[in-house]
Every structure is written in C-alpha cells, then in structure tokens.
C-alpha cells in the first residue's frame, strides 16, 4: 500500500529522465514474525524486466520501504513492488538465537538442510550457488561437527552474498504495475538563457532618436557567448508582429511614441499573427539560420507560446468568438488588478473549443517544422486543463521530443494540475524563497513531495520579476541566487542582464526600470567582462560543475542538512552512476550564506548515511576529503564542520567528496 511515485492511482504517469534515479516507496507488512523481503522492479517499454532492487526499511516500526530505480531510455516504462517471505532470513534469525542458547539445535540444523537443498534445486541457479548451498547443507547435517561450525557454514559471507543476489522467496505478492513516463533529457535537465532578439544589435541614432531594431542575424552573434557560458537553451520572447492599438510605451506607460516597439506579448498586426515573424526581425529563412547556428553551438531554441492577441490580430476580425465580449459589446482586455493590459486580448475556449484548439495545434506544428522543439507557454493557468492535456498529448504522440514549460506563477493546485496533464517543466516559487527557512522547506518540497510529476525550473529572474532581494542585495545576492538555482534543481534559467547585476526596479513595482518588454535594451557584455564587472565567468563555472557532476542532474536525491546559523543553508546530492559494468558515486555538498550583506559562520552537521560513503572514502582519522569546486580549496570534513562565508568574497561552497582515498 502507499506505493510511490504514483499519481492519482496511475491515471497520470510519474515522470523520469534517462539515467535519472527515481525514489520508489511502499508500505509493506505481513502477519506473524517471519522475515519480510521487499523488492522494487522496473520494466522497460516492452514489458521486460530491466532492474530489480531490494527495498530498504526507512525507519524501524514504520513498515515504509524505499529503493532507487533508474530507467535508461525514453518511453513508457512501468514499475511494481513485490513483498515476499524471506525464507533464509527467517531461518537464520531463529537459528542464531536458538543455537546460541542451545535450544532446538538439531531442529534448526534440519530446517537449514531442507532450506539449502531447496535453494540448490531452484532452476536457473548458477553452478557456484548450487555448490555453495549443497556444501552448507552437508555441513549443517554433519552432527560430528561442533554446532557453531555447522551454523557458520550456513551463515558465511559467501552464503549471505548469494542469497542477497537471489533471495529465497516465498508467498510473493506483487503490486500492479504503475506507469513511469521517461522523457528526453531536455524535459528535466538544462540551463536556460533568455534574451530579446530585437535588443541584440539594436542601434540608436543619437541625432534623430531613431532606433534600428536588432534581428535574427545580429542576435545570432550573441549565441556564441551564451553557449560559452554553458547554457543549453536560448529562450526567445514572442517573435511575431506587435499590435499598434493601445501599444504600451516605456515602463508600461499608456501612450507609445512612434519609436516605441511595444510589448512582444501583444501579438498580432496587419502583417500577421502567431504564424508570422515580425518584419524587423527578418524572415523565416533568417529564423531557420538562427536555429541552425544555435544547433551548431549545442544550443536549443525555445520559443514563447503566448495564447493571446493584440486588438490588431487577424483573429479578432476573423474569429471574434475566440474572445470574451463584454456587456457593452467590447472585447475584454487582460487584467490582473491593479495591472491592466489594454494591448492584449485573452482568448476564450468556451465558444469554439474545437476550432481554437485546432488553430493552436497548427501553429505549434508550424514552429516544430522550423526546428523548435521547446515551447515556453505564457500563462497556461488561464486556459482549461483539458486543452493542455489534448494539445500536449497530441503533439507528443507525433513528436515525443517536444517539451512544454509552464510559465505559471499561480496556486499550487493549478501548477500541479498543469504538470499532471503533460507540461514537462514549470516556473516555480523559487524566485520568492530567500530566507533559510523558506529555501530549506521549498527544496525539500520539490525534491521529495511533488517530484513525481512537477519539475521546477529555477529561474533567478525574468523580465517581469526583479525581487527585492536582488534590488538591494548587491552583487553578492546575484551570486547567491545563482548557486542556489544551479545546484538546487536540474533546471535553472537566467534572463539577460543578470550577469551585469542589473537591479534597479521601476518605482513601486517588482520589475526592471526601463523594462525591455517595452523598449530596446542593447547591452555591453564584452565591456563589462573586460572591466571585471560581469558575473558571466561565475555562471560559466556553475554550468561547468553541473555538466561534470551527475548528482546535480537528478531532482529527488536532495537532502537538506542542518546548520547552526540562521543564514547558512546546506544540502547534499548523491548519485551512483553505472556505466557498463562499473559504477562510481558522485556527491556534492552545497553550503550557502543567504545573507548578502554580512559574513556568517557556524557548524554544518552532515547526515553521513545520506552521503552513501564507503570505508575506502574515509581517512585514517575518520574524516573524508572535500574539494571546493568554486574556490579550488580542499578540506577534511566529517559529521561536524565549521564554515565561514563572506558574501562579498565567497558566499558559497560547492564541495565534491573525494572518493576511494585509501
């Protein structure tokens, strides 16, 4: 009972990635005092058993067992839990007690003979096991030997290893098989970088005040730097024609001048709508060249899918039923009181759900045909869940490689609902979790409580979100948030300008002043690096660490550790990586001072069991070596560890445990 990860009794599949270790849990018990064995079993998309792992009791007295399963490829996998009577452990436990006190000695020996004879006769047993069990049976039945020697033959290390590899099982009970959808790596791992193509290469004529927009050709020149920082995905806001009606001016003012480009999210103009490229950005040929250049650099292009329209969108004339009409006959514009978006009409699925759904599918298929395999969906929580389940299911049935990111900052139930119906990943509450308590609770939540379906993308900032923490925390705040995002989740993202420490907000708002949503904003990235005023090298190092350490690529393996200071956050990630016939363990310890203004010091207490250490990992004094992947320093650590972190110098440790030191 209580099998996990199971979503609504299997109606929706739990999610995984190739090579991702998935925590399987179950509550298993039986009557009486006989020993119980529990196993987690993984089946590949063809229904063939792929992995079988013993489950371990998490806490005595709880009957709760856990194990880790690791699918190796994409597809519709399943898993099950088996409970069974452990014949060997039942006999061994009783025999050691009774023989130790001289009670029922010959009876226990006779029962051992029966047990090992049965085990030796099991079909498929390796010859080495058969000979080992027959030898144990002969020794147990030899009354000329001392009792303790006979018992040793049945409880030797060789016997224990053989029955651990293939247990002696009885009364096997199997749960039903539960679905596990294994999607491509980009669905759950990746580093995102957002920029506006129109700003890259934009030029202002100081004499006339006239702007020349950047385009896909000039924006392509930025791709090499993005790839050089180690990002995997370059995300573009909408690239479609922008409406003129009610166009917003600088800083969201209601009146736009002739040179104001408007918000890209006010989609649609006489030139076209969602299936058209803004003329200033170029042609489809230019876009294809941009996508190809990104691919050459190892980048994927994510495109914004914003299901809304400007008053000038062709839909407004051709399909007014796709919008909400007010009592006075006007079409309702978008509102999030007190915010008003007069330049945007939300769409309404109530009047013509089939026609509107097919039109959106057509648009998505169009951009897929131009090389887009990732869509960042704007405000999906304002559309019906049935639509997303249909759209994502339909698209993925034909294009399983396509990934949808939900840009949903809304109620937890809706965010979970979007994940259930198919969104592979989502924006998250990470942006607003800044104190030690908030961070620890949220890291535990996303890695342990919601990880069956919800994959959080830890964006550090967006064009809409510039938190007070970044506004007033100085450069240290930017480093701190980057470390937390890059190591706390397998998915993280950065909006352009973060590496320049852009932190000035529009008065009374949680967004940037001179917001790029409403104006051109070219940046001097190279100059900032030359002056040593760029965070780009730090972001590059974080992405290098992510690529080299497999433990950071999983979501469910995070353990929050204890610290003595109210601004020190510590957590660990451990993963056993199997490649061919070999395996190695990768463990990262992250310690962050979340106070961007003051040096903090204190003790980090580590739960050594969560680190999965072997005897060979310890030094003679009981310590183990850790190497700081940010600073290059090394220390001996153990259960209790002193740390001192100056946010203006080194606000964080990202430590790697050195294995097999002996």
């Amino acid at each position: 009972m209580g099998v996990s990860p199971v979503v609504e009794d299997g109606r929706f599949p739990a999610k995984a990635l190739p090579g991702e270790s998935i925590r399987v849990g179950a509550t298993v018990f039986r009557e009486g005092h006989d020993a119980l064995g529990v196993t987690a079993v993984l089946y590949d998309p063809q229904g063939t058993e792929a992995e079988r792992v013993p489950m371990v009791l998490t806490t005595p007295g709880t009957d709760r067992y856990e194990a880790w399963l690791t699918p190796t490829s994409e597809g519709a996998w399943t898993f099950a839990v088996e409970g069974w009577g452990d014949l060997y452990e039942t006999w061994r436990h009783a025999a050691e007690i009774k023989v130790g006190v001289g009670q029922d000695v010959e009876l226990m020996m006779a029962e051992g003979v029966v047990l090992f004879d049965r085990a030796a006769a099991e079909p498929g047993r390796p010859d080495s096991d058969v000979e080992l069990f027959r030898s144990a049976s002969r020794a147990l039945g030899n009354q000329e030997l001392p009792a303790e020697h006979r018992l040793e033959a049945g409880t030797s290390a060789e016997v224990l290893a053989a029955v651990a590899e293939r247990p002696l099982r009885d009364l096997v009970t199997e749960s039903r098989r539960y679905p596990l959808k294994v999607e491509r790596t980009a669905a759950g791992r990746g580093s995102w970088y957002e920029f506006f193509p129109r700003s890259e290469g934009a030029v202002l004529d100081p004499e006339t005040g006239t702007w020349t927009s950047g385009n896909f050709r000039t924006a392509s020149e930025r791709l090499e730097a993005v790839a050089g920082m180690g990002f995997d995905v370059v995300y573009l806001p909408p690239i479609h024609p922008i409406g003129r009606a009610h166009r917003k001016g600088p800083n969201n003012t209601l009146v736009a001048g002739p040179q104001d480009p408007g918000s890209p999210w006010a989609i649609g103009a006489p030139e076209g709508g969602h299936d058209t490229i803004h003329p200033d950005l170029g042609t489809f040929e230019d876009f294809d060249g941009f996508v190809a250049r990104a691919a050459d650099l190892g980048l994927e292009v994510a495109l914004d899918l914003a299901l809304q329209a400007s008053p000038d969108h062709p839909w407004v004339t051709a399909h007014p039923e796709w919008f909400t009409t007010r009592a006075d006959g006007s079409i309702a514009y978008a509102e999030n009181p007190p915010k008003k978006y007069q330049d945007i009409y939300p769409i309404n699925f109530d009047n013509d759900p089939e026609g509107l759904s097919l039109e959106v599918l057509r648009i998505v298929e169009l951009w897929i045909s131009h090389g887009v395999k990732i869509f960042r969906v704007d405000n999906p929580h304002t559309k019906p869940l049935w639509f997303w389940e249909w759209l994502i299911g339909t698209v993925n049935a034909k294009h399983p490689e396509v990934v949808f990111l939900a840009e949903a900052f809304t109620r937890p139930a809706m965010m979970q609902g979007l994940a259930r119906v198919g969104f592979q990943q989502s924006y998250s509450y990470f942006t607003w979790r800044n104190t030690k308590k908030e961070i620890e609770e949220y890291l535990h939540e996303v890695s342990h409580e919601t990880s069956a379906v919800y994959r959080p993308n830890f964006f550090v900032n967006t064009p809409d979100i510039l938190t007070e923490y970044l506004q007033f925390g100085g450069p240290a705040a930017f480093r701190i948030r980057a470390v937390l995002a890059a190591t706390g989740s397998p998915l993280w993202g950065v909006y352009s300008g973060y590496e320049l420490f852009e932190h000035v907000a529009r008065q009374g708002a949680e967004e940037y002043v001179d917001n790029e949503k409403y104006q051109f904003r070219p940046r001097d990235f190279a100059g900032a690096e030359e002056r040593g005023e760029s965070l780009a090298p730090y972001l590059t190092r974080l992405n290098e660490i992510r690529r080299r350490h497999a433990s950071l690529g999983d979501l469910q393996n995070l353990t929050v550790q204890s610290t003595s200071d109210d601004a020190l956050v510590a957590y660990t990630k451990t993963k056993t990586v199997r490649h061919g016939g070999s395996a190695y363990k990768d463990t990262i310890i992250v310690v962050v001072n979340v106070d961007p203004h003051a040096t903090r010091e204190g003790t980090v207490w580590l739960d050594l069991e969560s680190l999965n250490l072997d005897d060979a990992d310890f030094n003679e004094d009981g310590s183990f070596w850790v190497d700081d992947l940010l600073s290059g320093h090394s220390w001996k650590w153990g259960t209790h560890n002193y740390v001192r972190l100056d946010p203006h110098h080194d606000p964080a440790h990202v430590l790697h445990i050195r294995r097999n030191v002996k």
Side-chain angles (χ1 to χ4, degrees), residues 35-243:
L36 174 69
V38 186
T39 308
V41 188
L42 182 65
Y43 300 92
D44 67 18
Q46 290 72 46
T48 303
E49 182 179 311
E51 189 177 21
R52 174 177 291 271
V53 180
M55 299 183 72
V56 178
L57 187 65
T58 58
T59 305
T62 64
D63 294 319
R64 188 69 185 173
Y65 291 79
E66 285 188 355
W68 296 86
L69 295 176
T70 308
T72 56
S73 61
E74 299 169 33
W77 293 61
T78 56
F79 72 94
V81 173
E82 295 176 347
W84 38 274
D86 189 335
L87 296 174
Y88 175 78
E89 186 58 29
T90 298
W91 170 80
R92 186 194 65 81
H93 178 72
E96 288 183 341
I97 292 175
K98 291 186 176 183
V99 172
V101 297
Q103 179 182 341
D104 297 332
V105 172
E106 290 305 322
L107 176 60
M108 298 312 302
M109 299 299 176
E111 289 183 349
V113 169
V114 172
L115 177 70
F116 283 109
D117 286 346
R118 172 181 168 178
E122 282 185 349
R125 279 282 178 187
D127 292 342
S128 57
D129 280 8
V130 172
E131 180 54 37
L132 178 65
F133 292 159
R134 286 175 177 170
S135 176
S137 176
R138 290 192 297 268
L140 288 168
N142 186 352
Q143 297 185 13
E144 296 181 1
L145 294 174
E148 58 271 18
H149 290 176
R150 297 162 68 186
L151 183 60
E152 286 176 4
T155 58
S156 67
E158 293 78 11
V159 169
L160 291 173
V163 296
E165 179 70 22
R166 185 169 175 176
L168 310 183
R169 309 196 310 167
D170 188 29
L171 303 174
V172 178
T173 301
E174 183 181 27
S175 73
R176 64 186 176 92
R177 296 187 184 182
Y178 294 99
L180 184 66
K181 185 178 182 181
V182 184
E183 300 168 295
R184 74 179 180 109
T185 297
R189 298 188 186 110
S191 305
W192 288 50
Y193 187 92
E194 175 182 2
F195 73 76
F196 286 61
R198 71 186 186 189
S199 289
E200 298 301 327
V203 177
L204 175 65
D205 185 330
E207 294 184 1
T208 64
T210 301
W211 278 97
T212 300
S213 173
N215 54 50
F216 286 125
R217 294 179 185 271
T218 59
S220 293
E221 298 174 9
R222 177 66 180 151
L223 292 176
E224 186 171 351
V226 174
M229 286 186 285
F231 289 97
D232 309 300
V233 178
V234 56
Y235 154 53
L236 307 181
I239 58 174
H240 315 297
I242 298 171

Side-chain angles (χ1 to χ4, degrees), residues 397-478:
K398 185 177 179 181
H399 309 283
E401 73 280 9
V402 173
V403 172
F404 291 86
L405 163 65
E407 185 263 350
F409 299 111
T410 185
R411 302 178 306 280
M414 174 58 81
M415 295 176 75
Q416 292 296 310
L418 291 166
R420 280 173 166 79
V421 300
F423 276 93
Q424 283 84 3
Q425 53 181 276
S426 176
Y427 279 20
S428 72
Y429 301 137
F430 167 76
T431 319
W432 298 280
R433 301 298 186 261
N434 295 298
T435 67
K436 174 183 178 176
K437 184 174 185 294
E438 291 170 345
I439 293 167
E440 289 180 343
E441 290 179 349
Y442 195 60
L443 289 175
H444 180 82
E445 176 185 325
V446 297
S447 61
H448 290 259
E449 299 173 13
T450 62
S451 54
V453 292
Y454 179 76
R455 298 192 185 109
N457 194 319
F458 281 7
F459 261 82
V460 289
N461 67 328
T462 78
D464 294 308
I465 302 172
L466 176 65
T467 62
E468 290 186 1
Y469 188 89
L470 293 177
Q471 291 177 35
F472 304 109
F478 285 74

